[in-house]
Amino acid sequence: MCGIFGYCNFLCEKSRREVCDTLLNGLSRLEYRGYDSAGFAVDGDNDDILIMKQVGKVAALKKLVNDQQVDFSKPFISHCGMAHTRWATHGQPSQINSHPQRSDENNEFTLVHNGIITNYKEIKLLLEKKGYVFESDTDTECVAKLTKYVYDSHNKDMSFTELVKAVVKELEGSYAFIFKSTHFPNEVVATRRGSPLLIGVKTAKKLKVDFVDVEFGTNNNAIAPTEGQDISRPALNRSQSRAFLSEDGLPQPIEYFLASDASAIVEHTKRVLYLEDDDIAHIADGELHIHRVRRSKEDNTPPTRSIQTLEIELAEIMKGSFDHFMQKEIYEQPESVVNTMRGRVNFENHEVTLGGLRGYTHVIRRARRIVFIACGTSYHSCLATRHIFEELCSIGTQVELASDFLDRASPIFRDDVCVFVSQSGETADTILAMRYCLERGAVCVGVTNTVGSSISRETHCGVHINAGPEIGVASTKAYTSQYIALVMMALQLSQDTTSTQKRREEIIDGLYRLPGHIKEVLAIDSKLQKLALDTLSEEKSLLILGRGYQNATCLEGALKIKEISYIHSEGIFAGELKHGPLALIDENMPVILLMTQDSLYPKVQSALQQVVARKGNPIIICNTGDQNLTNTYKTIEVPKSSDCLQGLINIIPLQLLSYHLAILKGVDVDFPRNLAKSVTVE
């Protein structure tokens, strides 16, 4: 979805060109999130704010900036700027609808926003009655004008933090904001609820402490009480944010980077802190102060925000020698699956240890049922592993789409275990479902690829899949790593059951061979490229059939093809072929059939005969050396593995086919139209 990036320098001289380049480069790192326009705001020459916006890619914004008659050499000892990539939700992509949005023609208040304000119509109606004139169709402009209205209503006698606190109390929906104002030069205020936001800190000297105190109350210097402290007693007062003082107690040169995603920050600094919902971060005079929108007994957030160290490297978010991020991430899977298992699977003793589940394993084993809740590709990884949970753990298992789960207000009980799977850990529907289940007392488990994400912080326990940063919008290596993480979870939960020991050993041996099997499939990439060119590139529709463990592979493969090559594709459970889909089969309908050797192989053979009888010409994904198929049909041969792991191998040729089809159609592989990497709104 939308991407936010902010940059503040204090006692650290930068030219306007350097500030603009930092903001634009930050937006480039956020391009993978999906967007249709971009813009930024920096200080002007006369205590004003200069806004530049453009429809299209960040490259178009860079060209617009270079064409401006602006003094880019002007130095700033201290400065605050902010930038944004917009994914349209309210109003079509246009320059006027792009962010930053402003309060008035003088740009008194400007802001960037990721999320959706659900009560913006009521706010807009109120402000229009007060005489405010709106220039855009966005919900964000309502917030900018509301900020000016509140400020003017208080006779301009408010601090920036108090002002933002008063504004966000009137808002409903999800958001991450950065506010900038001509009334508060060299200051920004950032806040979030439901949308991610983190702050990177860069200093030449070591920080005095590795945390920032949370401040409550009208006294801006009141430090939050520590655990167990009587909140009725006066809080400690501090005149300065103690983390950002040098050893001699004096302010030091410092730079702050605010972003929706760590990928925009890592090239500048690895020291970051993650804002919690309803945090208000105020940056001024080189100090960072964190306040809370509301203070209540139900507020269980910690009294400090720890400064953490990012573990990703800049090289991980670069394409290297590959043409596209998606291609790179497909080819990284032999390594990414190893990283998911590293330190967790003992192949000699056939044991699995997931440290993130320590302390909750016995609770999960006693659960009445396990409910998997996810969206998109993450949902498919849950479907792919549902069977192995039921087989090994003998616990009733169901898989839910997060949006549908919320629509039905599905009943959840205290003896349920709910597993939330999300690559980013910030998927809006999944987070709302998680909070719904937490309220009802269920044990909540998070499976994410992002340390510090909302799901990883708010669940009771969880598993980090360690796939590494995934930049391409179409998920590839995250799917296989999620799949493996869930299989490992099932293996650990069943380790106290002797009757399944032989089966567990077979699966763990299969995991050991998995990286080599994936490399074997990647080695036939040129054959898949030729198949895409000769057979599928001109098709308008495609069916993918399978059953059992391969049903999820069909759905995921069809999703990949439709989302990046824009070919209508449908994953169909082969057992349902006679109940309707068979009507689509003729000599002109391309069909891919997953027919690897497992217990359901004879039943899939029946589906194959039904397709052939209707003059279909299926492409069959089969195991290497299956002469019953290779001598008769067009095939894609893949290595054989344990039935519950075969889907990890079968999905690779479908990922590669989708990539080559997209290339042949000349579309943007990494940034498919209308889609965003991290869906942070409902």
Side-chain angles (χ1 to χ4, degrees):
M1 305 299 285
C2 302
I4 289 175
F5 186 77
Y7 172 61
C8 302
N9 57 295
F10 176 72
L11 301 181
C12 180
E13 184 174 307
K14 300 287 182 180
S15 69
R16 182 180 281 136
R17 170 63 69 185
E18 289 176 303
V19 170
C20 291
D21 287 348
T22 299
L23 293 172
L24 289 167
N25 191 54
L27 292 185
S28 298
R29 298 289 183 221
L30 297 172
E31 282 190 295
Y32 76 95
R33 294 171 65 87
Y35 71 106
D36 48 57
S37 55
F40 67 82
V42 294
D43 287 348
D45 295 323
N46 302 303
D47 297 325
D48 58 343
I49 294 176
L50 185 63
I51 297 176
M52 299 186 199
K53 304 191 285 189
Q54 185 62 286
V55 177
K57 298 296 183 183
V58 172
L61 178 61
K62 289 180 181 178
K63 185 177 184 303
L64 175 69
V65 172
N66 292 332
D67 292 341
Q68 298 299 305
Q69 299 300 314
V70 176
D71 180 10
F72 285 107
S73 63
K74 180 176 179 177
F76 294 90
I77 298 296
S78 298
H79 180 277
C80 293
M82 60 187 182
H84 185 270
T85 52
R86 176 177 185 256
W87 194 78
T89 56
H90 296 79
Q92 294 183 355
S94 68
Q95 201 164 23
I96 201 71
N97 286 333
S98 302
H99 295 207
Q101 287 291 313
R102 62 183 185 175
S103 61
D104 61 304
E105 293 181 353
N106 297 323
N107 301 339
E108 289 185 39
F109 294 96
T110 56
L111 56 90
V112 292
H113 170 214
N114 173 19
I116 290 179
I117 304 303
T118 54
N119 64 332
Y120 83 98
K121 289 183 179 179
E122 292 86 346
I123 295 171
K124 186 173 184 177
L125 182 62
L126 167 70
L127 295 173
E128 284 176 333
K129 289 180 178 178
K130 300 290 183 181
Y132 287 82
V133 178
F134 288 78
E135 58 186 6
S136 77
D137 301 318
T138 66
D139 54 340
T140 306
E141 189 185 4
C142 298
V143 183
K145 284 181 162 50
L146 178 63
T147 306
K148 177 172 170 54
Y149 171 69
V150 172
Y151 187 65
D152 291 344
S153 299
H154 285 75
N155 298 316
K156 303 185 178 181
D157 184 24
M158 301 179 79
S159 71
F160 207 177
T161 304
E162 291 170 341
L163 174 59
V164 172
K165 188 179 294 188
V167 169
V168 298
K169 282 182 177 178
E170 304 301 324
L171 304 181
E172 297 173 6
S174 65
Y175 55 76
F177 286 115
I178 300 178
F179 292 80
K180 180 175 171 65
S181 174
T182 57
H183 298 290
F184 304 96
N186 298 326
E187 297 183 37
V188 294
V189 174
T191 185
R192 62 154 287 186
R193 183 190 299 160
S195 295
L197 195 61
L198 64 153
I199 301 174
V201 183
K202 182 179 181 180
T203 57
K205 299 178 181 178
K206 188 174 184 292
L207 298 175
K208 290 195 72 173
V209 291
D210 59 354
F211 60 87
V212 178
D213 298 297
V214 179
E215 303 172 19
F216 288 87
T218 55
N219 179 354
N220 288 338
N221 296 321
I223 304 301
T226 56
E227 186 176 353
Q229 180 179 332
D230 184 359
I231 63 173
S232 65
R233 299 183 64 183
L236 292 172
N237 287 304
R238 300 188 188 277
S239 60
Q240 293 174 301
S241 183
R242 52 181 165 170
F244 306 109
L245 299 177
S246 59
E247 291 296 332
D248 55 11
L250 297 174
Q252 60 175 318
I254 191 166
E255 294 172 88
Y256 293 100
F257 304 86
L258 300 89
S260 302
D261 193 298
S263 61
I265 292 178
V266 66
E267 65 186 283
H268 303 289
T269 179
K270 290 191 173 183
R271 291 182 293 178
V272 301
L273 58 88
Y274 294 87
L275 296 182
E276 301 282 354
D277 276 358
D278 292 326
D279 278 355
I280 297 179
H282 178 215
I283 298 175
D285 297 328
E287 296 182 18
L288 168 63
H289 294 269
I290 296 179
H291 308 262
R292 296 288 291 166
V293 174
R294 298 174 180 84
R295 184 185 188 185
S296 66
K297 291 183 178 178
E298 289 76 31
D299 189 347
N300 295 318
T301 58
T304 61
R305 300 290 176 265
S306 62
I307 298 173
Q308 304 175 27
T309 301
L310 291 175
E311 296 182 359
I312 62 173
E313 299 293 338
L314 182 61
E316 295 181 273
I317 58 172
M318 304 293 284
K319 282 186 283 196
S321 60
F322 293 94
D323 295 327
H324 299 90
F325 283 112
M326 182 181 179
Q327 183 188 31
K328 173 177 178 273
E329 287 153 9
I330 291 172
Y331 273 84
E332 282 178 341
Q333 287 175 108
E335 291 77 38
S336 63
V337 298
V338 170
N339 291 337
T340 303
M341 295 185 283
R342 180 173 282 118
R344 295 166 165 176
V345 183
N346 185 321
F347 293 106
E348 292 183 2
N349 298 332
H350 294 95
E351 292 180 352
V352 174
T353 304
L354 296 173
L357 299 183
R358 187 178 292 117
Y360 284 89
T361 305
H362 66 288
V363 177
I364 300 172
R365 284 172 178 156
R366 295 200 304 267
R368 187 171 65 98
R369 61 174 177 166
I370 299 176
V371 183
F372 292 95
I373 302 171
C375 304
T377 288
S378 299
Y379 171 76
H380 295 153
S381 68
C382 298
L383 273 180
T385 53
R386 173 178 58 183
H387 186 175
I388 198 63
F389 270 88
E390 292 176 335
E391 178 188 344
L392 293 181
C393 306
S394 299
I395 300 175
T397 306
Q398 67 186 70
V399 181
E400 298 276 1
L401 283 166
S403 54
D404 181 53
F405 175 82
L406 290 167
D407 290 346
R408 298 187 344 257
S410 186
I412 291 292
F413 305 99
R414 293 176 65 87
D415 52 356
D416 289 335
V417 170
C418 299
V419 182
F420 301 90
V421 186
S422 167
Q423 188 279 140
S424 67
E426 299 290 352
T427 309
D429 285 322
T430 309
I431 289 173
L432 290 173
M434 172 190 69
R435 290 171 181 164
Y436 174 91
C437 296
L438 284 169
E439 289 172 1
R440 283 152 182 79
V443 171
C444 293
V445 182
V447 179
T448 80
N449 192 35
T450 310
V451 174
S453 63
S454 295
I455 289 178
S456 66
R457 293 198 312 272
E458 295 182 34
T459 45
H460 295 106
C461 58
V463 181
H464 186 257
I465 66 172
N466 294 330
E470 188 176 65
I471 306 300
V473 169
S475 181
T476 51
K477 65 177 182 177
Y479 174 76
T480 49
S481 287
Q482 286 171 347
Y483 193 136
I484 291 171
L486 292 173
V487 168
M488 290 193 299
M489 185 175 166
L491 290 168
Q492 176 165 327
L493 292 175
S494 62
Q495 277 177 176
D496 63 339
T497 309
T498 56
S499 61
T500 60
Q501 183 173 345
K502 188 174 181 180
R503 173 67 161 152
R504 289 199 309 275
E505 291 176 357
E506 173 209 330
I507 295 169
I508 291 172
D509 289 340
L511 289 172
Y512 179 76
R513 293 188 291 268
L514 184 62
H517 287 160
I518 294 176
K519 287 178 182 177
E520 288 181 46
V521 180
L522 293 174
I524 64 169
D525 188 15
S526 57
K527 177 183 176 182
L528 295 169
Q529 186 177 10
K530 187 175 187 302
L531 179 66
L533 175 63
D534 297 344
T535 308
L536 298 173
S537 60
E538 300 301 320
E539 300 294 345
K540 303 296 183 186
S541 192
L542 173 65
L543 302 181
I544 306 178
L545 309 180
R547 66 186 298 164
Y549 283 108
Q550 303 315 314
N551 180 41
T553 310
C554 295
L555 296 173
E556 175 61 12
L559 177 62
K560 287 292 150 287
I561 290 168
K562 72 180 73 165
E563 70 181 333
I564 65 165
S565 67
Y566 313 150
I567 296 174
H568 170 255
S569 53
E570 192 174 346
I572 296 175
F573 184 71
E576 288 293 298
L577 196 57
K578 293 191 290 292
H579 298 281
L582 196 58
L584 296 171
I585 304 294
D586 60 21
E587 66 272 18
N588 299 315
M589 173 60 73
V591 176
I592 295 177
L593 188 64
L594 280 89
M595 199 170 167
T596 43
Q597 294 169 343
D598 57 24
S599 61
L600 298 177
Y601 184 79
K603 293 186 177 181
V604 185
Q605 276 184 319
S606 174
L608 171 62
Q609 296 308 318
Q610 293 172 46
V611 170
V612 172
R614 273 75 181 180
K615 300 181 181 179
N617 296 302
I619 299 167
I620 302 177
I621 296 178
C622 64
N623 288 131
T624 304
D626 190 344
Q627 295 183 357
N628 292 329
L629 302 174
T630 56
N631 295 337
T632 310
Y633 304 101
K634 191 175 294 185
T635 59
I636 300 170
E637 295 183 64
V638 297
K640 184 177 181 181
S641 184
S642 175
D643 56 358
C644 68
L645 303 178
Q646 189 69 52
L648 289 163
I649 301 169
N650 292 354
I651 193 59
I652 308 297
L654 294 175
Q655 291 174 348
L656 290 167
L657 277 175
S658 67
Y659 173 76
H660 292 307
L661 287 170
I663 296 296
L664 290 168
K665 289 188 172 291
V667 299
D668 194 333
V669 175
D670 288 329
F671 310 116
R673 67 189 182 200
N674 307 332
L675 297 179
K677 179 66 177 174
S678 181
V679 184
T680 55
V681 296
E682 292 182 75

